[in-house]
Amino acid sequence: MVAPGALRVVRCGGSALRGARAVFSADSKYLLYVSGDFVKVYSVNTEETLRLMGGHADLVTGIQLNPHNHMQLYSCSLDGTIKLWDFMDGIPIKTFTVGTKLLALYTLASAEDSVFAVIPKKGERDTFQLVSVTLTKGAGQDLEGKELSVVLDGVGASMKHIAFGREVCSPSGFFFLLCSVGCTTKTKGGDNRFSCVVCHPKEDCIATGHADGKIRLWRNFHDKKEYTYSTLHWHHDIVMDLAFSIEGTRLLSGGVESVLVQWHNESSCQKDFLPRLGSPIEYISMSSDGDLCCTLHTDNRISIINSNLRFSRSIQGLIKSRDVKTGLVVDPRTKALVLNGEPGHLQFYSLQSDQQLFSLDIVQRQYIHQAGLKQSDLVKVAFSAQGTWLATVEESEEVTDPELQLKLWFYNEEIQSFELNTRINTPHDNHITDMCFRDMDELGDDSLILVTTGRDCVFKVWVMVEDTDPEGIILYWEICDFVGSYHNYQATNCCFSEDGSLLAVSFEETVTVWDSLTWDLKCTFCHPPGNIRNICFGRLTCSKYIIGATDYGFLCCWNLLTCALEWSAQLNVVVLQPDPLSEYIAAISWLSKESSLFVFKPNEPLPVYIQRNLCKDKILLAAFVPRDEPEITSSEKYPWLRKSQLFFLTDTQICETKILLTFFFKLAVEESLPVTPFSLLLGKHRHQQAQEDTDLGKLVVHNKQKQASPAVKELLHTPAHVLPSASFLCTIFINSLLISKEKKSAEEVADEVEMESEKAEDDSDEEDITAMEQEDTSHMELLGEMTCKLSKSQEKELRKIRKMDYSWISAL
Amino acid sequence: MGEFEVHRVRFFGLVPAGVRCLACHPRGSRLALARTDGAVEVYNFAANYFQEKVIPGHELRTVESLCWAAGDRLFGAGLSGDITEYDLSGLSAARGVDGGGGPIWSMVANSTGTQLAIGCEDGSVKIFQVVPGGIQFERNLDRRKGRVLCLSWHPSDTHIVAGSIDFFRVIDVTSGQTVQRIMVNHHVEKAKRECVVWAISLLSSGTVVSADSFGRVQFWDWEQGTLAESHTVSTSAALSLAVSEKEDSIIVGTSTGATYQLQLLPVTLGGQEKRWVRTKPFQFHSHDVRAVAHSPTALISGGLDAQLVIRPLMEKIQKKSYDAALRKFTFPHRRLVSCARKARLLLFQFSQYLELWRLGSTEETGKDGEVLPLCQMPEHLVQLKSKGPEHIYCSCVSPCGTWVGYSTASRFHLYRVHCDGDGVSLRKVPKVPKLLPPAYQLQFSADSDSLFVASARGSVHVFQLLEPGGCKHLHTLRPPSGVEGRCLPFLPRGSAQGGCVAEVSAVVPSVHCPLLQHHCTVPTYNCAVSALAIHPSTNNLVIAYSDQQLLEFSIPEKQYTSWSRAVQSRGLHRAWLERDSPITHITFNPKNPSHILLHDTYLLCVLDKSLPLPDDSTLLMNQSTLKQLPETARKRQLHAFKICKKFQPLLFMDLLDENCLVVVERPIMDFKTQLPLPVQQKKFGT
């Protein structure tokens, strides 16, 4: 279990649904698929995600049903563990630690206590081997799985490059068909590299997919010379995956054409197609009764398809656009994240369900898949405060003369969707750099204005006008008389103050502040050298401040009342994101190959929270998403997470984007705990800790565990029938109630060297930051070690507990 | 290599006839092929797939089916209703025997080769006994309505299966009764279309394999009358079918030009159950594959696009050698063009007519590789249609361009060409002495005053040509006794003294000297001769064999020359030996006695005897690399074989004078456009 209490980064969604082939449960009622670090259980009938099985610390790379118990599932991950799950209850049964990265997983019915996995070969780069992992039998949950025996050397890393076929049981043991394909080099005849391999379930036949779009069916392959093959050719490009039906009479293939092809009886003349699946097919899997099959697509979608090749339903995850130009915007109406989706589309993505809510076609043009073709794409998005208006900017990819269009969309309550209201061609002469709405509830509709800044050195103000028409009043947008510019510098950013009275526009090095009623230039700020990268106004109590980040590595806070620099800190800020519901601002820096998070209030030069090494990848975008209900439990320690959650979008080396969520380990079960002796006990314990916190709590950020220990939590979560005996649980339970001993770690100094590089401007700042850092690390240490010491009051409690009757536990 | 002014001739509009049927010799050494124009060819597998024998066609004699019987006897049957035996030594069709059942669609020999079964238009199946000197009608089997398109004997000769339209039937040979009749389109919904059983085969296990016009290959159990397996190999018709001797592999030809292999494979490793599986598809042809054959090591297919394709089965070949290469033959392995050097005329031989062309000329000169503009366009002088239904065996034009001769199966014709200004007139030479037909080769002497006619049994007739248009039979050269009857004469070109004629058979080459008597015999070589020539000044005989060997034989000394011995001891370059097509013509450069010019379908070679021979480590085709080298390095890299592959496919090459060359090309694309349109097929990306 992960120690709760500390703030940690969790991949919460948007991760690739195509890490591995999906698996149907034996009764085909559930579909199990990989989503980043998690395995999800999806009910085929109700179209709901039933369970989220988390526990792996890295991407899950393979899932397979346990051939001996169809209610269990093996999963393997890059973190080097194989887990056995009860997927009906969503609980891990066993964890086998292998120790090396696991890239693919295979199971075999005849192999009683071992599974097969692909691991990288030690000491050699880019070579992989297939090993058989012996799963030791033991009582505990965490077991070692280090007994590896190499089956095959030099296999491909992809799970599609190995297939297990027919098994033959004979008195002398069992044999199985194992095929592995390598990536041979291009021959002159054509690109016939292998892309995937599958085995016929009943016969000695292997089907391979090739890069030139051919499928070859190999037979007689045990003979070195007289092997033979037949070719099926329909795909024009690489065959991404193949799947045989249960009897082997049908073969499914898919590729970049987004067409699922069904071949009958290995004949090239009899084939059926399911076209228009939307995006290239990456994996195909078949249910064991042959009724359903599912395809995993490159745009993070899972399609479930009936046996008669009728499209049934789909699960759409986050679409990974090549370049998220729009940034991460929160739709105020649905609280969904809004970003680039399919080319020319805007996707509304729900983080709660990790699914796409809907996709809005903005460009409204046919997208033609062709390399080198200049496409129009969506580059900027802005919502008005209530989400009634949506402004989008699209531009063609041409650098010199971009074809710009500004579109304004009105949310139509009747059709529950956005409708195009106004289309403005060439709003600016050059690229639009930023755009924001002013939308004040108090001021009514008149207040609604839109500001766009462009590289043509001006910012323009757009207003809504009414026009009477035979059909009624028509609202549309047109340009206001005012066009602002400053010394012919390129306008880069803009933002309105909270009350809408002030507009800040950054022109390269300078931040200009304008009165939004009279459009007078009020004042200017700058912090040379370096252009302004981000600006934002403070909110609530800090609304007199304006924050700017320069690309020269400074974060500056100016006071609007005094027109002076309040404070500045040297920080290479890539993302500056204010929380819309509180005065906190999150700044994410990128330095020496790690991203760090700083949360601060503009009125205090000291950050309220620092998280170093948030993740190894560069964080591209971040967004605060308002919570439905303010979080109470975390509010004391992390007030900035009270009303909103912070989400990041990172860009990993393999060009995958993930959304990461910092979230608090909360215990939902606690609140609804029935009144039992146990809950009373827990309540007391909690109360006690809260008291302690107030005693201790000065400037320290509390990250002591707020809720019960993992053991208790697990006790509550785990169904009774899989719990160990009560006597076994007792000691863990007792231990969990003990208070851990505060202990300073010796390693805390280590980080100081790194701190130097990010030295703040004045010394006092620096000290505080270091202090915070130390706190942080010490807590981490503490949680790891769990050294316990009993306080007197707890000893009393313990004695009481001992006298109590625990027979109720066994009754559970 | 030397620089030549090249006449690049592309106006030879040869369209080879499509392949109609194939018959593999039971012992697998020879392949008989019949074309749609009735010509029959025999290929020798042992001699590098050389086209050994050609029997030109006949207008009235189409060949629908060929089979080998009683050892090496070849029989053909066609829509004329006759069964014809071919005289392979005399290269002629012997008299036919009327089948008595209307047009014959198919003919098969039984496993021992003693009986022939024919399937006729009227639905009858007749059995003929093969007797020495001919065939004899034996009996009729059960006659049913519907033409019999294909037949197959059971390997034990007890049953015959006959395929017709919509059904096939199994006939008991001893009783002559139909024991089973199976409708092939019984299960098909669209049964309104008739289903033609184009090919059928009866396996020893009692399985009947049928290929039909719905593109299906079906396996039937004839005793039960049930369908065991059905493979739809093509959307268009499956036209032909051949089973390997072991009955574990089948090749099917379809009308889209694709051929498919079906193999009998075990379903599981070590299991008893076996199933026919469609395995490899091959797309070598653009048109209907009307004939397929299955030799033990290769799949052979012939299509209406005139191609014969031999695709070796890699798994059956023990070691990777030259035999493992795919071969395609489109053009004949013999010369169809002759050239009048002095008059600059070209004579093209078609199956039923000759064309005489005058070459164009230019006055400009240019650098290497430049195309020179013509000041006088090539001119089609005359077309000479052959009389009668017989096709032309051979033709020749004299070096001065005043005589044209050609021969058909029964007659030899000689014409005198009169050029008067623009017009050209031909006048037939009267009273040409009757020869024992047919003439296989014609050759005029260099000074155009005599004509040599190679005829049957290795004899050569010498005619004296008389002005203004007559001829006289001078002499007949006969090979020494012992080789008689086995010879297929070749006449060399370029003899200097006008009387020196060499005649070489596949087995024993012999040379006649100027005194018109037997001079010497070239030692035996066990391969067919593909071309030979006598050097005009040195009187050396250069012989090219079908296995790509080159020999030079000195006629005055009656022995191989030292150069030839050197070649034999060192061996020729591997790349040279592994070429596909045989040398079809040899000529010499009068200016440079050490130069020999030779060509096959794909390359033109100037062999310089004064230069060192290449060994296997050097590049054989090194002309392009030599061009880039500096002068000194080039000298070191030079070797005897100077090869040019610029002209393809090359049908003829000759030297007009010492620096003027004529090449005749027939680009494949030109010839493809002359063919009828193939079956329309959707092609991706169009």
Side-chain angles (χ1 to χ4, degrees), chain A residues 507-640:
Chain A
F507 287 94
E508 297 185 4
E509 291 190 345
T510 320
V511 178
T512 57
V513 180
W514 306 73
D515 187 326
S516 69
L517 287 173
T518 59
W519 301 114
D520 289 334
L521 179 60
K522 287 294 179 192
C523 57
T524 61
F525 304 104
C526 72
H527 193 277
N531 292 342
I532 302 291
R533 196 183 271 166
N534 308 89
I535 50 168
C536 68
F537 277 97
R539 289 188 174 263
L540 304 174
T541 57
C542 307
S543 55
K544 62 183 176 182
Y545 298 103
I546 179 166
I547 314 292
T550 69
D551 59 6
Y552 214 69
F554 277 99
L555 183 66
C556 312
C557 174
W558 293 283
N559 191 329
L560 287 166
L561 300 178
T562 60
C563 291
L565 180 69
E566 189 82 5
W567 53 267
S568 75
Q570 192 166 10
L571 199 63
N572 182 27
V573 176
V574 283
V575 178
L576 190 67
Q577 187 65 37
D579 181 1
L581 300 178
S582 67
E583 55 268 79
Y584 295 100
I585 294 174
I588 292 163
S589 75
W590 171 248
L591 201 74
S592 61
K593 293 193 176 165
E594 59 171 50
S595 291
S596 307
L597 170 68
F598 299 84
V599 181
F600 59 91
K601 271 176 150 179
N603 57 359
E604 291 172 41
L606 305 184
V608 293
Y609 178 75
I610 297 175
Q611 170 92 47
R612 294 214 170 244
N613 201 359
L614 197 60
C615 64
K616 285 271 178 278
D617 311 316
K618 186 168 183 175
I619 292 175
L620 297 177
L621 299 161
F624 274 104
V625 177
R627 288 178 195 272
D628 294 336
E629 284 172 23
E631 179 93 2
I632 304 145
T633 47
S634 65
S635 59
E636 286 149 36
K637 274 183 274 178
Y638 302 112
W640 53 280

Side-chain angles (χ1 to χ4, degrees), chain A residues 402-468:
Chain A
E403 226 177 85
L404 288 174
Q405 271 197 357
L406 175 66
K407 282 179 180 167
L408 286 131
W409 306 74
F410 182 70
Y411 188 78
N412 189 332
E413 295 280 355
E414 282 169 25
I415 61 166
Q416 292 283 307
S417 177
F418 283 97
E419 271 183 340
L420 184 61
N421 177 270
T422 310
R423 181 209 307 265
I424 299 159
N425 287 320
T426 330
H428 279 262
D429 296 336
N430 209 331
H431 295 278
I432 289 181
T433 52
D434 203 0
M435 172 164 77
C436 62
F437 273 103
R438 185 187 71 171
D439 188 7
M440 298 300 97
D441 298 335
E442 311 93 63
L443 300 178
D445 262 357
D446 295 345
S447 71
L448 195 62
I449 57 174
L450 175 72
V451 174
T452 55
T453 59
R455 245 184 248 172
D456 55 351
C457 309
V458 292
F459 70 91
K460 292 184 179 175
V461 182
W462 309 85
V463 290
M464 203 164 51
V465 286
E466 282 180 21
D467 198 1
T468 45

Side-chain angles (χ1 to χ4, degrees), chain B residues 150-152 161-163 168-169 197-202 208-211 241:
Chain B
C150 48
L151 288 173
S152 174
V161 58
F168 69 84
R169 57 201 171 104
V197 180
W198 282 117
I200 207 154
S201 185
L202 182 54
V208 175
V209 193
S210 70
L241 180 103

Side-chain angles (χ1 to χ4, degrees), chain A residues 56 75 77 79-84 94-102 133-136 141-148:
Chain A
H56 281 294
S75 70
S77 157
D79 66 359
T81 57
I82 295 172
K83 280 178 191 281
L84 181 63
K94 288 207 160 66
T95 302
F96 303 94
T97 311
V98 179
T100 51
K101 272 188 184 180
L102 301 166
V133 182
T134 311
L135 303 177
T136 45
Q141 208 189 62
D142 291 298
L143 295 167
E144 293 278 301
K146 307 247 181 202
E147 269 183 65
L148 305 180

